[in-house]
Amino acid sequence: MAKTNSSSRHARKGRPVLAACVALGSLGALVGVSTADATPRSGGHRHIQLRVRGGTVTVDTASLGVTARTADGHAMELSAPAASDLGEPGPLRRIAGGARWTYPAKKLTVTAVAQQGRLQVRIRSQRDGSLAWPVTGGDPASESLQLPRGSGLDIPVRDSWWNSAAAHLVNTEVDMGEGLTLPLWGYSSGKRGVSYLTPTDINTSLGFASEHGRLRSTATHDFDEGDGTRAYDISFALTDGGATAPAVDYRKSLSERGELGSLRQKIRANPANAKLLGAFHAYGWGEARTAVGVAKLRKLGIDRMWLGYDADASPMSSAAVSAAEQAGYLVGPYDSFANGQDPASADSPAGVWPDRVYPDFCVQQADGTPQGGFGDRGCYLSSQAFEQAEPQHHYLADRTRRAVANGADSYFLDVDATGTLFRDYSADHPMTKAQDRANRLARMKRLSGSLVLGSESAQPWANQALAFDHGSATPVDDRMWTLEHDKKTWGAYYPQTAPAFFFKPVALPADIAKAMYDPRYRVPLYETALHGSVINAERWELSFDKLPAQKTDRALLAMLYNSPLNYVLDGPSIDQYGSEMAALQKYFAPLHRAAGTEQLTSFRWLTGDRSVQRTVFGHGVLTVTANFGKTARDGLPGGCVDAKLRGDREPRRLCPAQVIR
């Protein structure tokens, strides 16, 4: 069964992107205290002044404009006035740490407090509607936008290419709960910046515009009782302007709320999780699913591997699984709890369920029709229907038990950790989007108790349940989905033992390649937030060998971010690329074993052109320097990476072009 492309299938219908789109701020760590002082100001407006780490913020209750003055006296605009009409504000009331007021015409209640060093704004609506705010990026000093597309981007706001149609960013809108990998964005200017965190990311989107050649952004939240989104929370933090500062802020926020997972704890709970450390990932086809294929990999010297296989009619046998586990590998089926098809016409065993799961468990749309499944095959199945049925019927538990009866110790559950969420209008199993997310998290936590669990493009709310994900490392450009539908260019889903869709090499169009893989714009936001909690790799239809022109940069990024490469394998590809994979894995394995459970504590550019980049993990456990340029810098040749573990006298060097075939 083909992997799902959640971002392409369920992209929200974009509103006209507001010309007022503004993105402001920056990056960095926080500094300061949390006390409140609400005072009236001139012109009849009321302004709330709150002390936060790094300075003081002021909220204009008449417009929701937000400004700041840093501790060193620098003025910043954190948000322009709301792009939605608010009407006149109601009376201002002091509360502990801040103030509360209303917008009677919009039926909104706003609470602004200084909390954990941030400005925390909570907006509650008594009716369905929308709010376009904050409006960011308007501060003239803003230099770069930080955007968690895939592993992360840092985009100079005046970059002419990103402000053009060629980049496919301006005049677009992205769902923050599905299209971004973290619910945040940021702006930076030198040593100053701002981080925006939106924990209520369901029904929140971020739109982009170019104004006078500068990138600006506006968040819009839809208040919808049926979706469970009548609340909208957003926090503002002053930062140090570092390229990963919004992710530093977000990791701190997760930790403060007790929502940051730990690979060390996951390994203690299930020691099999430790096999992920040092492992590359691969999905097997044909001979790669057999004991013979496993023996070939082990003979090449590959001592760690996660091997997955599609939920089709030819899963890995018990003998093959046993051989893989004896080699030190993890093995797991790819499965999905999200798709149901008519058993009489289903095109994949993964879509077949017992009894009347199909069609009774189909998510119902507002008009009473089923929500069509991926590729309009069957329907999407309601997580609420499963939760209600599970205590008596054990559909999910029985399915999992059958899937791992061959001895597999891992499991890849497609879609569940992405932002693909549904409202179910069924009278038998009604569900909000928020409840859908809670259901998915609950069943992933149940699975993770005994299996090494992974999922697709994992959102951070799932980080405590998952050990790994495939997809959050990929900064997908939406035009890639169109390219994938061109079977002549991309490849079709045959032959069965090595589908061209996965194995055929592809040359990305220049603009897509630049948007996704130009190292000048890449920054490790996801790894800064979640390294040491979740192991993160690229999408499986973008295996390492699928994009030949990007192999060197992708290898350097993997080593720099301490993240595994992801492959698809059959017998011929093992023969053709096995020695290359073995050389890359041999270099990666000791670095990941040492630092895979550590926090990414530093990222910086060492050259003005951003070609040389450095990461540090665990405050010095591992330091990695990658040169994406063509010329040597400080003794490091172009296209090479140096890594130094604590205690190493000399760096360990890898020049991928010397081993890539």
Side-chain angles (χ1 to χ4, degrees), residues 48-341:
I48 301 154
Q49 291 185 335
L50 300 171
R51 273 178 267 172
V52 297
R53 288 175 181 162
T56 302
V57 295
T58 301
V59 182
D60 182 349
T61 66
S63 67
L64 281 181
V66 184
T67 58
R69 184 165 293 278
T70 63
D72 61 1
H74 183 79
M76 300 172 64
E77 180 189 89
L78 308 190
S79 174
S84 303
D85 181 22
L86 298 169
E88 289 295 318
L92 189 65
R93 183 164 65 90
R94 287 194 183 195
I95 61 172
R100 179 174 294 134
W101 68 98
T102 63
Y103 296 105
K106 293 281 285 186
K107 301 295 183 183
L108 299 176
T109 299
V110 182
T111 303
V113 297
Q115 193 173 74
Q116 302 289 351
R118 305 176 185 89
L119 167 64
Q120 304 273 6
V121 179
R122 300 179 177 89
I123 303 176
R124 303 294 183 265
S125 180
Q126 297 178 33
R127 67 186 183 200
D128 291 352
S130 65
L131 175 66
W133 179 86
V135 180
T136 66
D139 191 311
S142 296
E143 296 174 351
S144 290
L145 162 68
Q146 291 79 46
L147 187 66
R149 180 191 281 182
S151 57
L153 300 173
D154 180 274
I155 304 171
V157 297
R158 295 182 182 85
D159 188 292
S160 59
W161 186 80
W162 281 101
N163 278 274
S164 73
H168 201 64
L169 179 66
V170 170
N171 298 326
T172 68
E173 185 178 50
V174 62
D175 186 317
M176 294 200 68
E178 182 176 7
L180 299 179
T181 54
L182 302 170
L184 60 83
W185 74 101
Y187 278 82
S188 62
S189 174
K191 294 184 178 180
R192 302 181 185 88
V194 61
S195 163
Y196 304 92
L197 308 183
T198 56
T200 50
D201 56 312
I202 301 175
N203 279 10
T204 301
S205 61
L206 191 63
F208 306 94
S210 177
E211 189 168 306
H212 305 299
R214 293 170 52 86
L215 289 174
R216 308 179 73 176
S217 56
T218 293
T220 300
H221 182 79
D222 293 336
F223 300 100
D224 190 313
E225 184 174 22
D227 286 341
T229 60
R230 284 280 186 88
Y232 179 33
D233 295 357
I234 187 161
S235 74
F236 303 71
L238 301 180
T239 72
D240 65 8
T244 56
V248 171
D249 182 29
Y250 184 58
R251 184 183 181 97
K252 181 177 176 65
S253 176
L254 285 175
S255 181
E256 290 166 352
R257 300 197 305 269
E259 297 175 1
L260 180 62
S262 163
L263 273 174
R264 288 191 180 96
Q265 292 178 0
K266 294 168 187 176
I267 290 168
R268 284 195 290 269
N270 179 5
N273 282 307
K275 293 182 181 181
L276 289 170
L277 298 176
F280 279 177
H281 295 224
Y283 285 88
W285 304 78
E287 188 183 65
R289 296 187 182 188
T290 68
V292 172
V294 170
K296 280 186 175 182
L297 292 171
R298 194 65 190 89
K299 187 177 181 180
L300 287 166
I302 298 172
D303 62 350
R304 289 286 175 97
M305 178 68 70
W306 182 90
L307 283 176
Y309 52 92
D310 217 1
D312 56 21
S314 303
M316 286 186 76
S317 67
S318 297
V321 171
S322 178
E325 293 185 348
Q326 289 176 22
Y329 301 171
L330 284 164
V331 178
Y334 153 77
D335 197 6
S336 175
F337 295 165
N339 183 253
Q341 299 182 46

Side-chain angles (χ1 to χ4, degrees), residues 523-545:
V523 291
L525 296 177
Y526 193 89
E527 296 304 327
T528 296
L530 293 175
H531 198 276
S533 174
V534 175
I535 292 172
N536 180 33
E538 290 215 54
R539 298 180 61 87
W540 81 324
E541 82 271 27
L542 290 176
S543 69
F544 184 61
D545 296 317

